[in-house]
Amino acid sequence: MNQNSNSSVVPEANLSQNQSIILGKKFYILLGITFLILIVALTPAYTYLIFALTLTTPQLQHHSGYPHILVDLFWKGFSLLTAIYWLYLGIKIGLSRRGGLWVIPSAFLSYFLLILMVQFIGRLSAIVIPSSSDSVISLFFQDGGKFVRFLSRSFIYLWGGGSVFNMGVVGGWLTKRYQKFGFEPKESNILAFLMILSSFSWGVVFFLKWLLPVMILTGILSLVGIFKLIQTSVKKRQRLIQAYLNSESQKILE
C-alpha cells in the first residue's frame, strides 16, 4: 500500500531542483523573441497615432473659428474609432486557433497600410478651408473638390488605422500563449499588455529616435511590471505545489 502511495507523490528533491525554472526555458525564449520582434513591428501604430493627432491643414491650425475646431475634433474622433475597430479585429484574430500564423503577416500589413496612408497625406496639405461663417456641413460638402478630399481623408484614416491591427493580433496571441504556460487569464492579459506597452515604448525611442521622457519612463515601468508579475506567479506556483505535496505526505502518514 505504501509503495503504491509513494509512487504517486512527486519527490521533494525534484521539486526544489525545478522551482527556479518552473515556467520553463521555452517561456523565457518566447518572452525575449516577442519583445525584440515587437519593438520593430509596433512602431507603425505610433506613427499613425501621431499623424492622426496632427494631420490638420495650416489654415485650420491658425484659425480659431468654432466650426473648424469641430471639424478637427471630428477627424480626431474618427481616427480613434477607426484604430479601436482595427485593434478589436486584431485581438479577435489573435485569440483564434491560428492566431500565431497572423503575427508576422500582420506586422507587414501594418507597415503597408501606414505607407499607403502617408502617400495620401501630401494631397491633403493644400486644402483651402472656407471662412468661419460657413457651417460645419459646408466645410465638408461646399463643392465637389472638397467632397473628394473629404473622401480621401476618410480613406487615409480608415486604412491608416490598420497600423494598429498588429497590436491586437499580438496581444490576443500572447494572451493565449501565456495561459498555456500556466498563467491565469487575468495574469495573461496583464502580461501581454505590459509586453506590448514595453515594446511599443522602446521601439519609438530606438527606431524613430523620438527620445520622449514619457516613452522612456513607460518602457522602464512596463519592464518592472513584467518582472514582478512573473516573480509573483512563480512564487504562487511554488506555494501551490508545496501545499499539494504536504497534503499528499499527510495522507501517506495517515
Side-chain angles (χ1 to χ4, degrees):
M1 180 176 178
N2 288 339
Q3 291 179 352
N4 294 334
S5 299
N6 288 334
S7 63
S8 63
V9 179
V10 180
E12 293 192 27
N14 291 341
L15 171 67
S16 60
Q17 185 179 4
N18 292 328
Q19 279 180 350
S20 61
I21 55 171
I22 201 165
L23 285 174
K25 292 181 179 179
K26 289 184 178 180
F27 167 74
Y28 294 105
I29 292 175
L30 173 69
L31 208 64
I33 291 177
T34 52
F35 177 76
L36 293 176
I37 292 176
L38 293 182
I39 281 181
V40 181
L42 297 183
T43 49
Y46 183 80
T47 307
Y48 166 74
L49 293 175
I50 290 298
F51 273 129
L53 291 175
T54 60
L55 183 57
T56 53
T57 63
Q59 294 87 351
L60 181 57
Q61 290 175 354
H62 298 93
H63 204 296
S64 59
Y66 180 69
H68 301 82
I69 296 176
L70 290 181
V71 171
D72 187 40
L73 291 176
F74 166 81
W75 284 117
K76 286 179 171 58
F78 181 71
S79 64
L80 178 61
L81 291 176
T82 301
I84 290 175
Y85 172 76
W86 277 101
L87 184 65
Y88 164 76
L89 185 63
I91 292 174
K92 189 175 181 180
I93 293 176
L95 289 172
S96 65
R97 179 181 296 181
R98 297 184 178 181
L101 299 177
W102 275 85
V103 174
I104 300 300
S106 64
F108 285 103
L109 177 63
S110 295
Y111 275 95
F112 171 75
L113 293 177
L114 179 65
I115 292 172
L116 193 65
M117 180 191 74
V118 172
Q119 288 178 342
F120 279 90
I121 288 178
R123 300 182 182 182
L124 298 175
S125 60
I127 295 177
V128 178
I129 300 295
S131 64
S132 60
S133 60
D134 295 325
S135 65
V136 176
I137 299 299
S138 67
L139 292 178
F140 290 143
F141 304 100
Q142 188 178 27
D143 56 53
K146 288 184 175 58
F147 179 63
V148 171
R149 288 194 290 270
F150 168 75
L151 292 179
S152 299
R153 193 165 183 176
S154 299
F155 177 80
I156 285 176
Y157 284 123
L158 284 172
W159 289 103
S163 301
V164 185
F165 174 74
N166 182 238
M167 297 179 67
V169 172
V170 174
W173 177 72
L174 283 178
T175 298
K176 286 189 64 178
R177 292 296 300 171
Y178 293 150
Q179 288 182 11
K180 288 184 179 180
F181 281 109
F183 287 92
E184 297 177 357
K186 184 178 180 181
E187 291 177 337
S188 299
N189 289 327
I190 295 175
L191 187 55
F193 171 75
L194 289 174
M195 275 295 296
I196 289 177
L197 187 63
S198 178
S199 304
F200 186 84
S201 302
W202 292 119
V204 170
V205 171
F206 290 120
F207 288 93
L208 298 183
K209 305 302 181 183
W210 292 340
L211 301 177
L212 302 177
V214 175
M215 284 295 176
I216 296 176
L217 180 61
T218 302
I220 294 174
L221 292 178
S222 56
L223 287 177
V224 172
I226 291 171
F227 173 77
K228 292 296 293 183
L229 184 61
I230 294 174
Q231 187 182 48
T232 301
S233 179
V234 169
K235 289 181 178 179
K236 185 190 298 182
R237 293 190 194 192
Q238 290 174 346
R239 289 195 298 268
L240 288 174
I241 294 175
Q242 191 61 53
Y244 168 75
L245 289 177
N246 291 339
S247 65
E248 290 297 311
S249 300
Q250 187 66 28
K251 290 179 182 178
I252 295 173
L253 292 176
E254 292 176 354

